[in-house]
Structures are given as structure tokens and as C-alpha cells.
Amino acid sequence: MIRQQALAFDPFTGERRGAIPLWAGSPIAEKFNVLDQPNGLAIDRDGDVYVGDIPNSNPDADGAPPGPSAIYRIPHAALDALNAHDAHGAQSVERILVPGFVNGATAAADGAIFIVSCSRHDPARGGVYRLTREDFAEGRLPEPIVQGLGILDGVGFTRRGTVLASNPISGDLHAFTAQGEHMLLRVAGENVVDMPAD
């Protein structure tokens, strides 16, 4: 049986170290809802885990999703309890609803989390968002720092702080410098890859 969960593995041995259950009846599902398709995972400098969810498993679906699209913040201190299926572990979990569906997620050096949106119903039409601890505490989705990029998949950083966002439909790999410059990464005028994802 396939069940929604976030798994942890030892990077050297491959041994499974634990799991955060996200399926029906799990502590997080009881507090919020079942995560339909966990998609996008990041870990910040404090060891907090962030999991995005794309409900309905299809960002192009016409029907209403079975649950809300959101990004969940799971504090490091709650991981052991959630791994043990202890309902108290979910008390400190927070979420932000993201109507455009959450796809990629990554942690910045300053502690912020960046996500991208990816559905055709997305009000931002492809947005890059910067989320802070305060945003999670208030359950607030800030305005996107960039929007109108189409269906996005991945988000990441360079060492100099340039934000990268990928659009697998157009093949574009966007770059936004710390100075606010927007570039498309190209090789001799062509897309770097045909379908850039995470």
C-alpha cells in the first residue's frame, strides 16, 4: 500500500531513519487534513521540515481538489513525536494555504523558505514566494516576489543568492539576481534543457 509520508534516510548507509506520516488518521491529518500528494520538501537551518502538497495530484485538473493546497512547517522538536505517531507532535505544525498549488521548495541561508506555484488555476500565474517564520505563525501567504512565469516546478539558489525557478512546460530556467535582474538561462540562445524540473 502506498501512503503519504515524508521519509528520512541515513545518507551514508541508506538505512531508513524514520517517517512523518501524512495519511488519513495521522496526527497532521487529524489537525489539518490528509496530504493528497506531498510535493516539495525543504529543511531549514534549524532542522525544521517543510512539505508542500498538490491536492488532486494534477495541477491541470478541472475538478475541485480533495483538500487545500498548502505548505506545512514541521518544527524539528516535533519530528520524534510525529515519527512515533504521537498526536502531541502535530500541535506545533503550522501551514500556509497556497491556492496556486505548491511545487518546489527550498531553504535560504537567512531562514526563509522559497516555494513556487504551479497550477493553471494559479492566481499568480506562476509565482515565486518567500515565506518567513512570521508568515507561518500567522498562516499568511505573502504576495509573490515574482509572478506570471507559468507552471513552475523547481526553485533553488546559487551561492551568490540568485534565485532559480524552472518551468517544465516552456523549458525556461529563470534566474533572479539579488539586484533584481531577471535572466533566462540559455546555451547559444537555446534552453539549457528541454524540461527543467526540480
Side-chain angles (χ1 to χ4, degrees):
M1 174 188 345
I2 297 176
R3 297 195 293 182
Q4 304 92 319
Q5 56 191 308
L7 299 171
F9 295 90
D10 185 300
F12 300 105
T13 67
E15 179 185 356
R16 181 171 157 174
R17 292 294 189 189
I20 302 169
L22 304 169
W23 58 75
S26 68
I28 291 177
E30 290 295 308
K31 179 175 181 178
F32 295 109
N33 49 258
V34 174
L35 273 70
D36 184 59
Q37 181 183 326
N39 192 2
L41 186 140
I43 301 172
D44 71 14
R45 63 187 181 189
D46 297 320
D48 296 346
V49 176
Y50 298 80
V51 181
D53 186 29
I54 294 182
N56 210 26
S57 304
N58 182 356
D60 283 330
D62 289 321
S69 172
I71 180 87
Y72 297 79
R73 175 181 168 265
I74 304 168
H76 181 264
L79 295 177
D80 287 340
L82 290 170
N83 182 53
H85 303 262
D86 182 346
H88 292 96
Q91 291 177 352
S92 59
V93 176
E94 300 167 327
R95 78 171 178 186
I96 296 174
L97 300 178
V98 185
F101 288 21
V102 179
N103 207 335
T106 193
D110 66 359
I113 298 297
F114 281 71
I115 62 169
V116 291
S117 57
C118 70
S119 81
R120 70 174 182 166
H121 310 291
D122 181 6
R125 300 174 331 278
V128 179
Y129 296 85
R130 180 182 184 274
L131 308 176
T132 65
R133 287 278 178 89
E134 292 76 22
D135 293 324
F136 279 96
E138 297 179 18
R140 169 188 67 210
L141 180 67
E143 290 296 314
I145 60 171
V146 178
Q147 58 184 332
L149 301 179
I151 291 177
L152 299 177
D153 194 349
V155 61
F157 292 93
T158 68
R159 293 182 68 179
R160 294 185 178 172
T162 296
V163 178
L164 304 173
S166 62
N167 182 324
I169 307 301
S170 66
D172 288 328
L173 186 57
H174 298 271
F176 301 92
T177 67
Q179 294 74 34
E181 183 181 5
H182 176 205
M183 299 176 287
L184 292 175
L185 299 187
R186 296 283 188 261
V187 174
E190 300 295 331
N191 288 339
V192 177
V193 293
D194 290 336
M195 189 177 176
D198 291 336

